[in-house]
Amino acid sequence: MSEEVPRPAERAKRLPRAVRERQILDAAVSVFSRYGYHSASMDEISEVAGVSKPMIYTYLGSKEDLFGACIRREATRLLEAVQDGIKPDLPPDMQLWHGLRAFYRFVADYRESWTVLHRQAMTVGGAFAAEITDMRTRAIELVAALVVSAGTRKGLAEQAEFSGAGLSAALVGAAESLADWALDHPDVSDGVLASWLMNLVWLGFNDLVEGEIWKPSESDD
């Protein structure tokens, strides 16, 4: 007598919890990126994941809980990709360039993740927007540390610290806007995108740490 083949539901139970959760989150990111939070259905997520809705609720909770888990996972993956891309043995400007390259590479490779993080989460607002704000704050702190490091090398750490956070916030905002543009221009490489942004903003940072600061003319209010 041949051995009975386990049914799909029986095979599913044998997967480790971490693997099953990853499977569900992958499916949820795909569905949320396509339809948005409000229009996405748990039925669709269940079908894409190949698991039952009760299993999704058991592992990751309600639709709101699931969306929050998606945001946290993708935000962590994005920041880790950027941090891993930075080469600490290089000068601050090259560290930032490599970090930006890693950022744009992530956006290109994980378009659905970026869509959920930058478009869907902010549209829904509330606690989800707070998660994105936290991610952005961590990114700003990362850039600001490089600005202060560059200023310290020039003996202008105090000046760099004073302006670093605000200018870093501007850089992060510009990086996000360029990332959205890049989604519609996949032919532009991550290295080119990073270089464009460096030419736009780092030259200003460099002037700052060199002590060269633009000021309005005295005739202006």
Side-chain angles (χ1 to χ4, degrees), residues 74-156:
E74 302 314 304
T76 297
R77 291 172 68 189
L78 172 57
L79 288 172
E80 287 179 348
V82 172
Q83 290 172 328
D84 289 345
I86 294 175
K87 302 181 185 303
D89 56 324
L90 296 178
D93 60 331
M94 289 302 296
Q95 290 187 50
L96 180 58
W97 183 73
H98 280 289
L100 288 171
R101 283 197 67 182
F103 168 63
Y104 290 119
R105 192 177 306 119
F106 180 92
V107 172
D109 291 344
Y110 302 98
R111 296 170 63 93
E112 293 177 337
S113 297
W114 179 248
T115 298
V116 169
L117 286 173
H118 192 60
R119 296 179 178 178
Q120 308 297 358
M122 296 305 293
T123 300
V124 176
F128 302 133
E131 295 273 5
I132 302 304
T133 298
D134 178 66
M135 178 190 74
R136 183 175 290 125
T137 298
R138 291 158 63 191
I140 291 170
E141 290 172 349
L142 186 63
V143 175
L146 296 178
V147 175
V148 173
S149 176
T152 300
R153 291 187 176 204
K154 299 292 185 178
L156 297 166

Side-chain angles (χ1 to χ4, degrees), residues 20 29-30 40 48 65 69 75 91-92 118 124 128 166 178-179 193 204 207-208 210:
R20 179 61 69 194
V29 168
S30 178
V48 173
D65 295 330
H118 192 60
V124 176
F128 302 133
L178 186 56
L193 292 168
D207 286 344
L208 170 68
E210 292 286 353

Side-chain angles (χ1 to χ4, degrees), residues 176-202:
E176 292 174 344
S177 295
L178 186 56
D180 269 351
W181 180 88
L183 288 179
D184 298 322
H185 300 81
D187 54 314
V188 182
S189 71
D190 53 79
V192 170
L193 292 168
S195 295
W196 283 353
L197 195 57
M198 289 297 292
N199 277 284
L200 177 66
V201 300
W202 187 261

Side-chain angles (χ1 to χ4, degrees), residues 12-24:
K13 290 179 181 178
R14 296 180 182 177
L15 285 176
R17 183 182 184 92
V19 174
R20 179 61 69 194
E21 288 184 354
R22 183 169 65 248
Q23 179 183 3
I24 295 171

Side-chain angles (χ1 to χ4, degrees), residues 14-54:
R14 296 180 182 177
L15 285 176
R17 183 182 184 92
V19 174
R20 179 61 69 194
E21 288 184 354
R22 183 169 65 248
Q23 179 183 3
I24 295 171
L25 287 171
D26 288 345
V29 168
S30 178
V31 174
F32 284 133
S33 70
R34 199 179 318 152
Y35 300 109
Y37 173 72
H38 294 297
S39 298
S41 72
M42 294 295 272
D43 287 324
E44 177 78 5
I45 295 171
S46 171
E47 181 176 348
V48 173
V51 302
S52 66
K53 281 200 300 183

